[in-house]
Amino acid sequence: MKAEPYDVLIVGAGAAGMMCAIEAGRRGRRVLVVDHAARPGEKIRISGGGRCNFTNTGTTPANFLGENPRFATSALKRFSQRDFIAMVDRAGIAWHEKPLGQLFCDDSAKQIVRMLTDAMRAAGVTLKLSTGVDAVERSGEGWAATLSDGARVTAASLVVASGGKSIPKMGATGWGYDLARRHGLRVTETRPALVPLTFEAGLLEQLSPLAGVAVDVAATNVTTERERATFREAMLFTHRGLSGPAVLQISSYWREGEAITLAMAPDRDVYAELKAAKEANGKQAVHTALSQILPRRLAESVAARHEVAGKLAEIGDKRLKSLAESVNGWTVKPVGSEGYRTAEVTLGGVATEGLDQQTMQANSVPRLFLIGEVVDITGWLGGYNFQWAWSSGWAAGQAC
């Protein structure tokens, strides 16, 4: 069978791959996008509760992790959140802003997918779904690939937009990492990120009655080896441990064997409030007073775990202060995370030292480009990872 020639073969019809295809197609390149999924943009479709947190108004390199987060600077500046918002506006998609600069579709994430597939179609891009890549090798100065449907194709440029390992039920694999290694590129340690954290059985037994309780917290990782970070958002108790935005954020910084510290009433002087409540009405139970600060079930649990019970008037100031400190200084050591099964992204990936920040091309492998989640650039929760996908895809689309 004769190989069909293309200028660009893009593996992955996610956010980064489709953005790259649009830009390359608009430059007159003959582009083929392949994806083993039955539909394009599956992560887009399920994100943001089905409304897609498609970018963040405050995106800067400071919102990213990796060996060298500043690698992202060039792409983020050249195709910024403002550029993607303009693209969304041109498509007539209504959106709204939530706290912390997060932007969501008013209607459905499917609108973003449709915008991208329509733009690919207009740019003359060929999209093949339910199609994997069985083999891809160098062929002269370009590439030759055999697809899972038996077709053979050649391309001057190969773009790896295959994502990371997160959410394997959607078909996520380490294919992109394996290809990078085969061509001499270093891949940093990969691990689940933006993922719920889990407790050991004993602690879980104590805290499982709190499943479903949410509280605004300041979560900080306890480490002497890595960067310390603090996130102030909601936390959710689950049947396995902790989740919610604050915990997902800190999970990217946490490592096994380390603890996290949670302030469950940040900016409040819990001791002063409990002491005032004691002076105003010493007959009320301590957990009742604490429930004016924390959700009632949580207040009862905190008081019980610290064995502080009875009327406020019966509790000395020293014990009251210790109880207050436990509210804003609860240090807990998770045993693990829920893993790639529920992780929103993969931390780590193809080392940026081997890539050109202007074009996303591998320095040592001409015409090989790597974009999006497969690269060692990982954003915070809140639209940052999508913006990296748009920006890195756009940058590669100008050069592939």
Side-chain angles (χ1 to χ4, degrees):
M1 181 188 298
K2 185 178 180 181
E4 189 168 2
Y6 289 91
D7 297 313
V8 184
L9 169 61
I10 300 175
V11 182
M18 289 194 283
M19 178 60 79
C20 180
I22 292 164
E23 293 302 312
R26 286 173 175 170
R27 291 173 48 235
R29 306 286 280 167
R30 190 174 185 218
V31 182
L32 171 64
V33 181
V34 298
D35 198 301
H36 57 232
R39 293 183 292 186
E42 284 292 79
K43 270 197 172 182
I44 299 173
R45 184 181 61 81
I46 68 170
S47 68
R51 292 195 174 183
C52 187
N53 179 192
F54 57 82
T55 193
N56 193 294
T57 60
T59 304
T60 71
N63 305 116
F64 294 86
L65 295 83
E67 286 185 340
N68 178 23
R70 296 203 63 79
F71 174 88
T73 302
S74 175
L76 292 173
K77 282 187 174 179
R78 288 159 58 224
F79 189 84
S80 71
Q81 59 269 35
R82 292 174 294 279
D83 295 309
F84 192 76
I85 292 167
M87 187 174 175
V88 171
D89 288 341
R90 286 193 298 272
I93 299 173
W95 52 269
H96 59 278
E97 183 174 350
K98 288 190 175 182
L100 306 178
Q102 303 168 22
L103 302 190
F104 291 79
C105 298
D106 283 357
D107 185 10
S108 168
K110 293 178 182 178
Q111 293 176 295
I112 299 293
V113 178
R114 192 176 309 117
M115 174 188 76
L116 296 168
T117 54
D118 286 350
M120 283 198 298
R121 194 175 302 110
V125 173
T126 300
L127 174 62
K128 292 187 74 169
L129 298 170
S130 301
T131 305
V133 177
D134 285 350
V136 60
E137 300 293 342
R138 293 294 294 193
S139 177
E141 295 183 355
W143 301 87
T146 302
L147 307 183
S148 60
D149 62 0
R152 294 175 59 242
V153 300
T154 60
S157 296
L158 172 64
V159 180
V160 179
S162 53
K165 299 177 182 178
S166 58
I167 318 184
K169 70 178 181 181
M170 293 176 59
T173 69
W175 184 88
Y177 307 135
D178 294 339
L179 183 139
R181 290 189 186 98
R182 285 203 308 273
H183 292 279
L185 299 177
R186 184 171 68 89
V187 177
T188 69
E189 177 195 5
T190 56
R191 55 183 292 117
L194 302 182
V195 62
L197 299 177
T198 57
F199 292 149
E200 52 87 16
L203 182 58
L204 196 59
E205 185 177 354
Q206 292 181 41
L207 298 176
S208 58
L210 294 175
V213 172
V215 62
D216 290 334
V217 303
T220 303
N221 61 315
V222 180
T223 179
T224 57
E225 298 180 3
R226 275 172 300 283
E227 177 185 359
R228 289 177 73 105
T230 298
F231 293 96
R232 293 192 53 167
E233 294 188 64
M235 178 181 78
L236 176 69
F237 288 88
T238 74
H239 291 292
R240 295 185 179 90
L242 297 175
S243 188
V247 173
L248 298 187
Q249 296 277 36
I250 210 64
S251 73
S252 296
Y253 293 83
W254 172 84
R255 296 294 182 273
E256 288 77 1
E258 295 179 349
I260 59 174
T261 296
L262 300 162
M264 296 182 286
D267 292 338
R268 295 183 71 168
D269 189 333
V270 178
Y271 174 61
E273 291 188 41
L274 290 177
K275 204 163 185 317
K278 177 180 178 179
E279 292 170 359
N281 180 12
K283 292 183 179 181
Q284 68 176 314
V286 63
H287 67 262
T288 301
L290 196 56
S291 68
Q292 302 303 307
I293 301 169
L294 300 175
R296 186 170 187 86
R297 270 196 288 161
L298 179 55
E300 293 171 349
S301 174
V302 170
R305 276 190 291 117
H306 289 272
E307 299 181 339
V308 181
K311 299 174 183 179
L312 281 172
E314 300 169 348
I315 300 169
D317 287 354
K318 186 175 180 180
R319 291 188 70 202
L320 211 58
K321 189 168 187 178
S322 176
L323 178 66
E325 288 173 349
S326 73
V327 171
N328 276 336
W330 181 33
T331 297
V332 63
K333 186 179 287 187
V335 294
S337 77
E338 292 190 7
Y340 289 116
R341 181 182 64 84
T342 59
E344 296 203 11
V345 292
T346 302
L347 185 68
V350 178
T352 56
E353 67 188 15
L355 305 178
D356 184 290
Q357 64 178 336
Q358 296 282 327
T359 65
M360 304 303 298
Q361 183 173 208
N363 296 325
S364 59
V365 189
R367 314 309 298 173
L368 173 63
F369 300 79
L370 299 104
I371 58 177
E373 190 180 346
V374 76
V375 178
D376 180 27
I377 294 289
T378 304
W380 292 357
L381 184 73
Y384 301 102
N385 287 293
F386 274 131
Q387 186 56 51
W388 169 242
W390 314 134
S391 297
S392 60
W394 182 92
Q398 312 307 309
C400 63

